[in-house]
Amino acid sequence: MGSNASIMLQQEDLQNICQQTGFTGKQVQRLYSRFKLLDKRDCGYLTREDLLIIPEVNINPLGERLIDVIMEDYGENNQINFKQFMYLLAKFRQGKIKSSITNYNTRESKLRFLFDMYDRNHDMKIDRTELLDVLKMMVGGNIHEDQIATIADHTIGELDKDGDKSITFEEFCKTLERIDADDKMSMKFLS
Amino acid sequence: MYQNKSSIFLILILGLIIHKYYCKEQTYVHNQAKPARFHVAEFNFDHVSDVYAITLWILLGSLAKVGFHLSHRLTEKFPESCLLIILGLIVGALLYITHLAEQKAYVLNSDTFFLFLLPPIILEAGYFMPNRPFFDNLGTILLLAIVNTLFNTLCIGLTLWGFSFTPLYGGTVFDMLPCFVFAALISAVDPVAVLATFTEIHVNDMLYIVVFGESLLNDAVSVVLYRMFDSFAKIGQENLIPTDIILGCLSFFVVALGGVLIGIIFGVVACFTTKFTEHTPVLEPLIILVYAYLAYLTSEMVSVSGILAITFCGMVMKQYVSFNISKKSDATTEYVLKMLSSIMETIIFMFMGLSTVSDHHSWNTGFVLMTLLCCLVYRVIGIAIFANLANCWRLLELTRIDMLIMSYGGLRGAIAFALALILDETKIPRKKEFVTATIAVVFFTVFVQGITIGPLVKCLNVRRKQIEEPTMSAKLTNRMMDHVMTCLEEISGSGGSNSLRDKCRNLDRNYFKRWLLRETPQEKMDIKLLQTFKKINMQSAMKVHDTSKGLVPAPSSSAIHTSASGTNLRPESTFANFSQILAANLPEQTVPDLMFFENHHGAEQYRDDAQMHHFLDTNLYRARPRATIHLRSQDESAGTDGVAHNRFEKSYHHRNHIYIPSRLDKEQIHGRKAGKTSGGTGRSTASKAGSSNITHSHTHSHSPKHHTSSVSKQQNEKLRSASPVSDQKQQQQQQQLSKTRSKSPSLSSDQPIRPSSPTTEMYRPSPPISIRIDNDDDNEILDGTTAAERICPWRRSSIPDAARSTSTSPVNDPSNTTQTASNTNDPNLHPGPLTSANYSGTYHKSPEYLGEYATTTKPEEHLSRPNIRDLFNNQSRIPDEKQENDMETNSDESTTQL
């Protein structure tokens, strides 16, 4: 399967992607075969449904939100093609060594992705309702709304420095200073 | 305390006198051969000698530890383990001179060591194992523990044996197999020593867990190798057949996996047992300890790795037991474990020093130096090889500095020593050299490496363990990262550790939790997130408490109080309504706080008790009622708002007979609410009303008088029928009112828009509540004090300060102030602030409430271990939720604590 799929990927495309994203050729090919596997209808792009069909994603509390982000920010019209798919994944490539850092997998872009998970209206602010939405997804259904609201308020209160009751990206980054967001938001791509 | 001392002296003196006379009598009896007489008292040391000696040892160890920590300069420079060894050496020298050391009880005995001293330490290590780092680094740990230990053993053994052909050892012959036996025991990193050293240097979690995990898990390897070579030596080098070696290799898997399996089985059984201990919570800690110990003994019995067994037993138990057992038992278990391991560690190091001073030594400079060199060099080489190997798959790569610390942290310790002591001298003729070399290596690593590793860590700027307060945002983002990465790993099909962890978590939730826990947590509910929130709340509550220490009753300190409540409790106090809601979620914090207060402030401060209650509740008001609702609704699987609310009501039925009437009354009075408001809407309106009141109070807070007048005006308009009653009566009624009010969540929301007099008068004959409402507000007008004073009555002298504190205390709506005022005026009641307008009645019922709370928090109170954990040992938490009947007893218990 893998070798078969890789043939279908044009050589120049491959090099292009490798250059831009920093993936090795093998990694790209492997991801391409994965992409093909997910693309059941063989139409060259993935849709929401294609991704949601993965069982682990399906039961993940943030799965839907993540796919929303992927589709809206990285794909278009509920479609994501292979190139966009690669740009998405390039964010999570390991970037420890200086040379392997492209402008995709910097710490900031990783944090940016996280921030976008909250900030769905792209106003560069996480406001209370956005936070509440995420919290509801994560904490689960049976907790009282007041409780969740309290947590949201508390969280905003922790981060919000300028008192506008919303979290800007800078404020967001500040809390993550002490977390190895870099490592946690990276994964090993098999080659 | 003083009395205690004198009584001890008295007993001692009495004992001496008795001793004296008894001895006389004894000689008398012997000499005269008279018929035996009855003795008033007897002195019989032989009867207790062994236990007495042990107890004295424990006492000596604890006192030594206490003593060391009195001097900061000493403990800063030298690790505790070194000091203890030195102390042991001194005591050992004394015993040696006095020839007491020949008695067996005074030297380290391997049986004692392995059966009594070691298990508690390992259990503690397993129980408090940071699971996340451990499993994140499991691959590295296993590689180091198994392959590296094997590598070390073989290399050290071969090198030592090889050098026996040179004149380095001064002609002493060391055979091959004894060399390997020695190598097996000396190459294993010792968990006790590592634990003792690494807890003091605070390196980051990853580094710590890699070294410590290696030291724990290499036990299987070292036990197998040791046993294998030992029996090979007994069989004799010439008689060995290849089958022996193959069987030896096979036995590794049996020993390792067998140990893990036994540990897990006992852990699971222990969890299952605690499922049914709700009526006997006192036994819970014991059950945990006994099962763990049984796991250890069983695995020793079938000669698999006991250390692995007890480690995994502890890890499994920790995962589930703390969900089941009561919070008290949980705290007790932890404390007992810490205590046991701490004292055992102390004794081990002392005994090591002690046993050093003996005749069983044979110093062979060449051999000792060679051993030392081998240990150091092969440790470094091994780590370099295998850490680099591990880096191939590690996400967070081990740096050179990490490797250096890892190899430097390879301390040898008491296990090696104990193993050396049980060598059979008839089979291994060079036992004395081995023991001496072991002691040399142990002392070198513990002293030289142990002392220098701290400065080295500082010098190399190794990432330290971040001792930080958990923040909600960090936790939230962390969880989000986990989720995102899990999804992405699945999408990209590169199944990494995240998706593996996710699978384990699902397995855990779907099967283990269901079988092992008393109540299965909600699916998809992120308990940890809630726990973190709880913990944060708890800590802020503690902080409020701490900062307010001693200054609560003092009027001058109210400014600090203000800052305490403003900055610590609610860093987000910029939002009035938010802080209000936040305060609603400080449930258990209040409870432990009160406990804490009682426990730690001692009898002499009881006079402050009232103020402290008051203070805490002003800061943490509304905590409990909200918590109740929240927990209730959480417990119900079909937790719609209405249902939850009904549950809440019901929960008070059996205890609070006024509850229903009052609620009805209110509703009739208002006539505004058609029927019962559902819990959700009722509460949300309540909070809205509260927030509006806050803003209101905020605007007026700069001038207390203005504030009061505005408040009273507001109420005046709403209530025109103020019937003048005597002050005392008013106060009583107010208290009752506050009770009744608090019982209905929807009430306070109605407060600002209170109905006019006719309605109220209509209900005057019926339960006294309606009258109270009038008088309550009436009193507000009559009473000239500021609202702030009503909240913080002890601050009456300093009005400006009080005003400020009012502004910081989030809810200042009229009802609250009146309630507080009324409460503080009555000495019989808890002078609690009752600022929680909505439900403050529960405060009066606080004992019951505590009971209630204690039983309702189970689903999410597990695992929350704040640093302040030891403060909460007395926390009341009664494990029976379902049995309403128990409530009475529960409440009794909490009453005594309050």
Side-chain angles (χ1 to χ4, degrees), chain B residues 64-346:
Chain B
K65 214 164 178 168
V66 170
F68 293 149
H69 282 277
L70 285 180
S71 157
H72 277 291
R73 221 181 287 160
L74 206 62
T75 40
E76 258 171 35
K77 278 187 186 146
F78 302 101
E80 222 176 67
S81 44
C82 300
L83 295 171
L84 286 168
I85 288 181
I86 291 171
L87 182 78
L89 280 173
I90 295 169
V91 177
L94 285 176
L95 288 178
Y96 188 73
I97 293 165
T98 54
H99 296 286
L100 270 169
E102 283 124 48
Q103 291 182 18
K104 271 255 158 162
Y106 297 112
V107 288
L108 183 61
N109 176 315
S110 309
D111 270 348
T112 322
F113 176 77
F114 282 113
L115 291 185
F116 301 111
L117 297 181
L118 192 57
I121 300 177
I122 306 297
L123 176 63
E124 193 250 10
Y127 198 76
F128 293 102
M129 176 81 76
N131 277 330
R132 181 74 187 268
F134 180 76
F135 285 108
D136 280 355
N137 294 300
L138 191 62
T140 317
I141 291 171
L142 282 178
L143 183 76
L144 288 177
I146 297 169
V147 189
N148 189 29
T149 310
L150 203 64
F151 167 82
N152 267 290
T153 309
L154 292 179
C155 288
I156 293 174
L158 278 176
T159 317
L160 286 180
W161 179 58
F163 272 96
S164 70
F165 294 109
T166 66
L168 187 72
Y169 302 151
T172 321
V173 182
F174 289 92
D175 288 334
M176 187 181 86
L177 282 176
C179 272
F180 275 110
V181 175
F182 176 64
L185 66 90
I186 203 72
S187 61
V189 178
D190 185 68
V192 184
V194 168
L195 206 63
T197 312
F198 272 64
T199 43
E200 289 179 23
I201 57 174
H202 304 295
V203 291
N204 62 67
D205 261 357
M206 191 271 291
L207 205 52
Y208 166 75
I209 205 70
V210 167
V211 177
F212 180 58
E214 182 202 341
S215 70
L216 269 184
L217 299 193
N218 69 15
D219 175 68
V221 184
S222 63
V223 162
V224 170
L225 287 176
Y226 175 81
R227 224 174 263 157
M228 195 168 83
F229 288 124
D230 197 35
S231 53
F232 285 179
K234 278 171 191 163
I235 292 167
Q237 205 170 323
E238 346 31 85
N239 304 332
L240 274 183
I241 47 170
T243 329
D244 289 333
I245 296 169
I246 295 169
L247 285 179
C249 296
L250 262 180
S251 79
F252 164 73
F253 293 99
V254 176
V255 167
L257 298 180
V260 173
L261 198 71
I262 287 179
I264 289 177
I265 289 174
F266 272 93
V268 166
V269 173
C271 298
F272 194 70
T273 313
T274 52
K275 210 174 165 178
F276 306 104
T277 53
E278 45 196 343
H279 301 293
T280 48
V282 204
L283 290 180
E284 282 165 348
L286 190 71
I287 284 169
I288 293 168
L289 294 179
V290 165
Y291 270 115
Y293 196 42
L294 258 185
Y296 184 82
L297 293 180
T298 311
S299 53
E300 287 289 301
M301 186 174 73
V302 298
S303 65
V304 299
S305 167
I307 291 186
L308 280 185
I310 203 167
T311 307
F312 277 86
C313 186
M315 285 168 73
V316 170
M317 286 197 302
K318 171 76 172 191
Q319 283 302 301
Y320 304 104
V321 154
S322 47
F323 284 78
N324 280 342
I325 61 177
S326 73
K327 201 147 190 167
K328 248 184 190 170
S329 308
D330 197 26
T332 312
T333 312
E334 289 182 1
Y335 214 84
V336 166
L337 277 178
K338 292 257 180 221
M339 183 188 79
L340 282 179
S341 76
S342 155
I343 193 63
M344 293 308 174
E345 199 184 287
T346 311

Side-chain angles (χ1 to χ4, degrees), chain A residues 34 142 146-147 153 165, chain B residues 490 522 575 578 585 626:
Chain A
R34 174 70 184 169
N142 286 314
D146 275 5
Q147 176 81 359
D153 285 327
K165 300 189 189 183
Chain B
E490 287 299 334
Q522 298 288 323
F575 317 119
F578 158 45
N585 274 279
R626 286 272 185 168

Side-chain angles (χ1 to χ4, degrees), chain A residues 38-99:
Chain A
L38 291 175
D39 182 16
K40 294 228 164 54
R41 288 160 302 163
D42 208 17
C43 46
Y45 55 83
L46 300 179
T47 61
R48 235 187 113 78
E49 290 71 33
D50 286 331
L51 293 178
L52 261 184
I53 219 163
I54 305 170
E56 281 82 4
V57 179
N58 199 13
I59 60 163
N60 194 302
L62 286 179
E64 280 195 55
R65 168 57 67 96
L66 179 74
I67 291 168
D68 282 346
V69 173
I70 291 173
M71 288 305 167
E72 286 169 29
D73 295 4
Y74 295 87
E76 45 196 351
N77 303 330
N78 192 22
Q79 291 171 5
I80 181 167
N81 63 29
F82 183 62
K83 238 181 181 168
Q84 291 160 335
F85 186 66
M86 289 309 286
Y87 290 146
L88 164 75
L89 292 181
K91 283 210 168 189
F92 304 97
R93 210 169 50 80
Q94 233 179 332
K96 270 273 141 178
I97 312 140
K98 276 273 186 297
S99 60

Side-chain angles (χ1 to χ4, degrees), chain B residues 577-593:
Chain B
N577 75 328
F578 158 45
S579 47
Q580 181 199 14
I581 303 168
L582 167 76
N585 274 279
L586 297 164
E588 35 305 316
Q589 301 65 357
T590 337
V591 181
D593 256 2

